[in-house]
Amino acid sequence: MTASPDIQSAAISADQTPPRDAFDRLTPFGWTGGLILILGLLAASFFLAGYFVIYWRNADMDFMIVYNALVMNDGKPQAFFDHPSYFTILSVKLWFQAMHALGLLDAWKLSAIPSALNVPAFDAAMTSAIRAGRVVAWLTASMFVFVFAMLARSIFRDWRIALLATFAFAFSGGMAVHMRILRSEMIAACFFTFAFMILIIVGRRASNGRPLALAAAAALCVLGMENKVQIVLLIAALPVLILPFGTPDSASTAFWDRSGRAWIVTLMAAVVAALMSALAWPLIAAGLEPESVDIAQLHALIGGVFGVYQVALLGWIGATMIVYAVIWRISLTETLTSMFAVIAGASFGLLALYLQYNPQNVVAVINPIEKMLVFADAPATSATEGGKIFAALGLLLDGIKSVLQRYTFVLFTSPRPTVFLTWLVIPGIVYAWLKGERQVATQAALMLLAAIGIDALGVRRGLKAEYFILTDPLIILAGALLLERMPDLRFARWAYPVGVALIVAHIAISQAEPIKHVMKRSGPEYICEWNEYYEPELPMPWCDKPPKRP
């Protein structure tokens, strides 16, 4: 028995129905509506599981940052230099001043905090101060998500990919932690990420003003290091990360190729670089000053001499800029101008340390590796200070093994939804390579390798959720770049359910840690171990030291 002509026609018509685009189904609210929804969900998450949490629940960095803001608002010098959390402390300090000026915060300086002997009054004051500080974290996170979205929109031709990447960033494990507590990683990591994204944008297409973008990227990298010195590791990886991001349109414009005026601009850039370097030199000298280095208890990484690897890093950046210029046909004048622009931008970034000058902040920023080693565990300290290359390599390999276990999620569970993106990024790299998309496969592979390497070093300190923000953006951008170059995947039958599963996983897992903190019932006793050292003028009611003032 054969089917009727009408039934056959309907079957043919059904077969010819074009597959539905998964991206359309995953972004139903459009660009503006989707971005508003993301920011609204972040706000809801913050107020439901963050703002109202008891003031000592995230005491670690919350107390240290707020304490320094209170101290500085009392006219006293900053007391915390470990990360050194420079902009985090400044932002909270200024926010407290603004809130007090508006009559919204009484506990805005140290002298306004009641004695710990008066427990109810002390708790009320600290609650208001900590909550005000948490608002700074939320506003900063929201601003950074918005900036990420704008830069992503410039990188990806398809706004839907940009929006999905923004969602992944907003609900990454690192952002979920940092948007409700006060720590140094978020500002530093986001400044680096924005620098990287700017370089991707300007690397793809030539323009007369491209050296200015490089100056901005260099300034952002230095500003990021002023908040968290660990960013120096990402800065060292950046020159290699950006190498494969050129295109046929990257070659210098006619202005740089054939214009005599280009040499005039190059000369002007050299003058500006020299001027900015001269302005920044006193800071560099202060950072290497023996007495200040001794106060910080730093030990030179190489041969007992400070400043060696810093010079090597500058040489590394310059060498890779030359390689980039050769590969992507950047003219001599633009290359030289770009080098001078990087010097000027980095020097400009250093000048920000004058906003609230303290020599110990300068020492930390100028000697980032030595500062990191102060907090390294015993095996890492022994390997680096003793020059034990094989021991250091063994620690790195052990860290990589631990990271790969975490990326499986099965062998080592983690409150990090970006782990599930790696399940797609790794096969995506292989698929892109086999499909002939060698450039994007190289881009994604380098970004993933950088993430693994940085995470492997973070394992030495437990690879806490607070550190995810350093490498999550690399994994997210790698996945988005692969999606952009393989548009046929969005029409696959499995694309939409996989996308929905990733969205659900991102929201559920990223909120697990905040909800856990809301539900915790344990007390705050553990902070007494460091309370006296980091907050000598702010004793806690439940700690014996430092002594409480009447």
Side-chain angles (χ1 to χ4, degrees):
M1 182 176 180
T2 60
S4 67
D6 290 341
I7 295 177
Q8 290 178 337
S9 176
I12 293 173
S13 177
D15 289 340
Q16 294 177 344
T17 300
R20 298 184 66 181
D21 191 331
F23 289 176
D24 283 338
R25 301 172 70 186
L26 293 171
T27 57
F29 302 105
W31 170 256
T32 302
L35 188 54
I36 291 173
L37 177 63
I38 289 171
L39 294 173
L41 289 174
L42 288 179
S45 172
F46 170 73
F47 285 105
L48 290 175
Y51 179 75
F52 294 103
V53 172
I54 193 166
Y55 75 89
W56 41 253
R57 176 59 66 203
N58 301 307
D60 185 0
M61 285 294 296
D62 275 4
F63 277 14
M64 297 176 192
I65 299 299
V66 166
Y67 173 75
N68 278 270
L70 294 172
V71 165
M72 293 167 71
N73 278 338
D74 245 346
K76 301 176 182 179
Q78 178 186 337
F80 182 86
F81 312 101
D82 287 350
H83 298 164
S85 304
Y86 184 63
F87 294 109
T88 306
I89 292 172
L90 279 183
S91 61
V92 175
K93 170 183 178 288
L94 295 174
W95 180 255
F96 281 6
Q97 291 176 357
M99 293 284 285
H100 178 69
L102 294 173
L104 300 175
L105 182 66
D106 292 329
W108 69 288
K109 59 182 181 178
L110 188 62
S111 57
I113 303 295
S115 170
L117 295 174
N118 185 348
V119 176
F122 180 90
D123 285 349
M126 285 298 293
T127 295
S128 62
I130 294 294
R131 286 180 177 176
R134 289 173 182 168
V135 170
V136 175
W138 164 58
L139 292 176
T140 304
S142 299
M143 178 181 65
F144 284 163
V145 168
F146 180 81
V147 174
F148 182 95
M150 296 301 105
L151 292 173
R153 185 73 186 269
S154 297
I155 292 175
F156 303 107
R157 292 185 296 271
D158 190 332
W159 65 265
R160 299 170 301 177
I161 294 178
L163 187 64
L164 291 172
T166 301
F167 169 82
F169 175 68
F171 286 91
S172 61
M175 188 59 73
V177 171
H178 284 282
M179 68 173 291
R180 64 197 86 233
I181 65 175
L182 294 167
R183 285 189 64 94
S184 57
E185 290 89 355
M186 179 171 64
I187 291 177
C190 288
F191 279 178
F192 169 82
T193 300
F194 300 155
F196 182 37
M197 295 173 79
I198 288 171
L199 292 178
I200 292 175
I201 294 167
V202 301
R204 288 178 166 180
R205 186 179 300 276
S207 67
N208 293 346
R210 183 159 52 182
L212 292 175
L214 270 70
L220 283 170
C221 286
V222 172
L223 292 172
M225 200 163 65
E226 289 168 0
N227 215 60
K228 184 78 172 181
V229 294
Q230 280 83 343
I231 292 299
V232 70
L233 302 173
L234 285 167
I235 293 172
L238 182 58
V240 172
L241 291 178
I242 204 63
L243 277 180
F245 278 95
T247 70
D249 294 328
S250 300
S252 295
T253 62
F255 173 84
W256 294 110
D257 267 337
R258 294 185 293 274
S259 173
R261 291 176 297 175
W263 283 105
I264 298 176
V265 173
T266 301
L267 179 60
M268 293 172 60
V271 172
V272 172
L275 176 62
M276 297 303 297
S277 297
L279 293 174
W281 178 251
L283 288 168
I284 298 173
L288 299 174
E289 203 272 325
E291 184 178 349
S292 297
V293 169
D294 288 342
I295 292 174
Q297 299 181 350
L298 302 186
H299 303 282
L301 180 65
I302 301 174
V305 179
F306 288 92
V308 176
Y309 68 85
Q310 293 90 328
V311 174
L313 178 58
L314 292 176
W316 166 246
I317 294 171
T320 50
M321 290 181 72
I322 293 172
V323 173
Y324 186 95
V326 172
I327 295 173
W328 302 110
R329 297 181 295 117
I330 311 299
S331 70
L332 177 61
T333 50
E334 184 179 1
T335 301
L336 290 174
T337 304
S338 296
M339 288 180 172
F340 292 135
V342 167
I343 294 171
S347 300
F348 179 80
L350 273 178
L351 295 179
L353 291 172
Y354 281 126
L355 292 174
Q356 192 74 48
Y357 180 78
N358 192 298
Q360 287 304 302
N361 279 331
V362 180
V363 169
V365 174
I366 300 300
N367 306 284
I369 303 296
E370 288 88 350
K371 192 64 178 179
M372 290 167 58
L373 290 176
V374 171
F375 302 95
D377 58 6
T381 301
S382 174
T384 53
E385 292 184 356
K388 303 173 184 176
I389 298 177
F390 290 106
L393 182 60
L395 292 176
L396 178 61
L397 293 176
D398 184 63
I400 292 173
K401 175 185 174 182
S402 180
V403 169
L404 295 179
Q405 289 176 332
R406 285 168 163 83
Y407 282 9
T408 67
F409 193 78
V410 177
L411 298 177
F412 197 115
T413 57
S414 169
R416 187 179 193 179
T418 315
V419 162
F420 300 114
L421 288 182
T422 65
W423 296 6
L424 299 180
V425 169
I426 295 173
I429 292 170
V430 176
Y431 179 76
W433 187 271
L434 295 177
K435 292 282 288 185
E437 295 284 355
R438 304 291 173 84
Q439 185 176 12
V440 72
T442 303
Q443 293 168 353
L446 287 175
M447 294 165 71
L448 185 60
L449 287 173
I452 292 172
I454 300 299
D455 282 346
L457 296 174
V459 166
R460 304 310 309 171
R461 290 182 59 82
L463 194 57
K464 298 181 290 186
E466 292 86 345
Y467 298 158
F468 297 163
I469 192 71
L470 301 176
T471 51
D472 276 346
L474 293 177
I475 298 171
I476 292 165
L477 289 172
L481 287 165
L482 289 167
L483 276 181
E484 183 185 41
R485 296 301 299 171
M486 295 181 288
D488 55 310
L489 292 181
R490 69 179 189 265
F491 295 108
R493 182 173 300 177
W494 48 264
Y496 178 68
V498 168
V500 171
L502 285 174
I503 289 174
V504 172
H506 258 74
I507 294 177
I509 295 178
S510 68
Q511 302 306 299
E513 285 295 300
I515 293 174
K516 183 175 75 174
H517 278 82
V518 171
M519 303 299 291
K520 284 178 72 172
R521 293 293 179 265
S522 59
E525 291 78 10
Y526 74 97
I527 73 158
C528 297
E529 298 175 4
W530 49 259
N531 182 216
E532 184 176 17
Y533 177 77
Y534 284 108
E535 302 169 352
E537 298 183 62
L538 188 64
M540 295 295 139
W542 58 89
C543 296
D544 295 330
K545 296 180 180 180
K548 301 171 182 59
R549 57 182 172 82

